[in-house]
Amino acid sequence: MIRGKFITLEGCEGVGKTTNMAFIKDYLEQHNISVVVTREPGGTKLAEKIRQLLLDNKSETISEQAELLMMFAARAQHIKHVIEPALAQGKWVLCDRFTDATYAYQGGGRNMKISTIKWLENLVQGTLRPDLTLLLDAPIEIGIARVRERGALDRFELEKISFFENVRRAYLLQAELYPERIKLIKANQPLIDVQRAITDVIRTLLGLCALNCPTSSRHGIVK
Ligand code: Z5A
């Protein structure tokens, strides 16, 4: 069985991650790829409970350390019960946020040590890293305005603009550090143009898969 690919979507609030998940899923399925769509924090019963605790803006104050550990506790469950089994079955996993979000929010936003995050990443993930990450990027004000239009704000969405500026900066640094894996998509353009840029990147990945694994062309992967 050929292992599936692991694709993650990242970016600050309101840049269009959720909107484009469905688009990417449809695009992959048109190429006869079986896709598992999931999200972080979340993806399993227990991890979704942790998500609720993390987003609740009425709970007791959550310490930075607790927040970081809860992200990785949820991730450990998600990897064991959803991500790894799907990849092993040859399915592709499309995940709304993953560990780049931890570098951005807990590292950039909360100013936690990168070495600590890296240590937890290695502990929880072993060698698992996304094959491709689409980083949707737009000026903070644009995403925040979109989210505010939607209504009630969660615990993260109540942070100050400076927090999100730091998050965005940390995301862009990740993209600089891992240019092979992280592809930057301009998200402050009409949706049709965002989706054209996403298609270009995914098509390249599909082409590479077909080259590295000639049998994959039988599954409809484009060359
Ligand atoms: N978090 C963390 O701290 N550490 C971690 O390790 C992880 C997560 C994994 C939950 O994430 C929180 O967890 C998150 C970070 C933290 N903090 N916050 N906030 P989430 O993914 O559930 O939350 P989110 O980023 O706020 O998601 P979102 O608000 O749903 O944003 P989005 O998915 O990127 O955007 P969207 O829902 O697709 O689009 C928003 C609106 O804009 C919607 O009305 C669209 O129709 C519209 N839209 C989208 N694209 C366009 C374009 N191109 N033009 C015009 N309008 C558009």
Side-chain angles (χ1 to χ4, degrees):
M1 173 65 67
I2 298 160
R3 191 174 159 85
K5 296 284 175 198
F6 183 25
I7 302 178
T8 58
L9 254 82
E10 296 280 2
C12 294
E13 7 292 302
V15 288
K17 296 177 298 299
T18 311
T19 307
N20 288 299
M21 291 282 288
F23 171 77
I24 297 170
K25 177 178 187 277
D26 286 353
Y27 184 80
L28 291 172
E29 286 178 348
Q30 281 163 23
H31 290 86
N32 297 330
I33 291 169
S34 173
V35 186
V36 171
V37 170
T38 187
R39 68 173 180 183
E40 288 216 348
T44 75
K45 272 191 184 162
L46 186 85
E48 287 291 332
K49 284 186 183 165
I50 297 175
R51 177 189 178 90
Q52 283 175 14
L53 294 173
L54 280 162
L55 298 191
D56 183 1
N57 60 20
K58 293 183 192 75
S59 71
E60 69 191 46
T61 312
I62 301 179
S63 80
E64 287 159 6
Q65 288 85 352
E67 183 179 279
L68 176 66
L69 293 170
M70 286 161 82
M71 290 295 172
F72 273 106
R75 185 161 298 139
Q77 289 298 109
H78 193 205
I79 290 170
K80 183 176 168 68
H81 294 296
V82 176
I83 299 176
E84 274 299 351
L87 294 174
Q89 287 166 26
K91 294 178 182 161
W92 287 33
V93 175
L94 183 56
C95 189
D96 191 340
R97 295 191 185 278
F98 194 63
T99 308
D100 291 305
T102 314
Y103 283 101
Y105 283 79
Q106 282 65 53
R110 304 270 188 242
N111 210 14
M112 297 208 68
K113 272 192 182 166
I114 296 304
S115 56
T116 307
I117 299 175
K118 205 164 266 307
W119 187 86
L120 286 165
E121 180 181 36
N122 289 331
L123 174 79
V124 168
Q125 295 170 220
T127 57
L128 177 71
R129 299 292 181 274
D131 295 290
L132 171 68
T133 297
L134 297 160
L135 173 56
L136 301 180
D137 179 63
I140 295 302
E141 303 76 37
I142 291 184
I144 288 185
R146 288 180 190 165
V147 166
R148 296 224 159 117
E149 245 174 63
R150 204 172 45 188
L153 302 178
D154 66 36
R155 195 174 63 85
F156 285 95
E157 289 163 353
L158 289 168
E159 288 289 342
K160 292 197 237 73
I161 292 282
S162 59
F163 173 86
F164 294 111
E165 294 287 4
N166 289 337
V167 170
R168 184 182 182 206
R169 212 169 293 124
Y171 263 134
L172 293 174
L173 179 63
Q174 283 291 100
E176 261 178 59
L177 290 173
Y178 304 102
E180 289 298 309
R181 171 174 68 84
I182 303 180
K183 303 299 174 197
L184 202 63
I185 307 281
K186 251 181 78 181
N188 55 333
Q189 49 180 342
L191 190 56
I192 190 160
D193 296 321
V194 173
Q195 293 183 336
R196 193 171 297 128
I198 288 175
T199 309
D200 285 348
V201 174
I202 304 261
R203 198 181 289 128
T204 304
L205 178 66
L206 292 171
L208 285 174
C209 289
L211 276 181
N212 293 338
C213 164
T215 53
S216 59
S217 58
R218 275 193 263 125
H219 302 292
I221 289 178
V222 287
K223 286 214 180 192

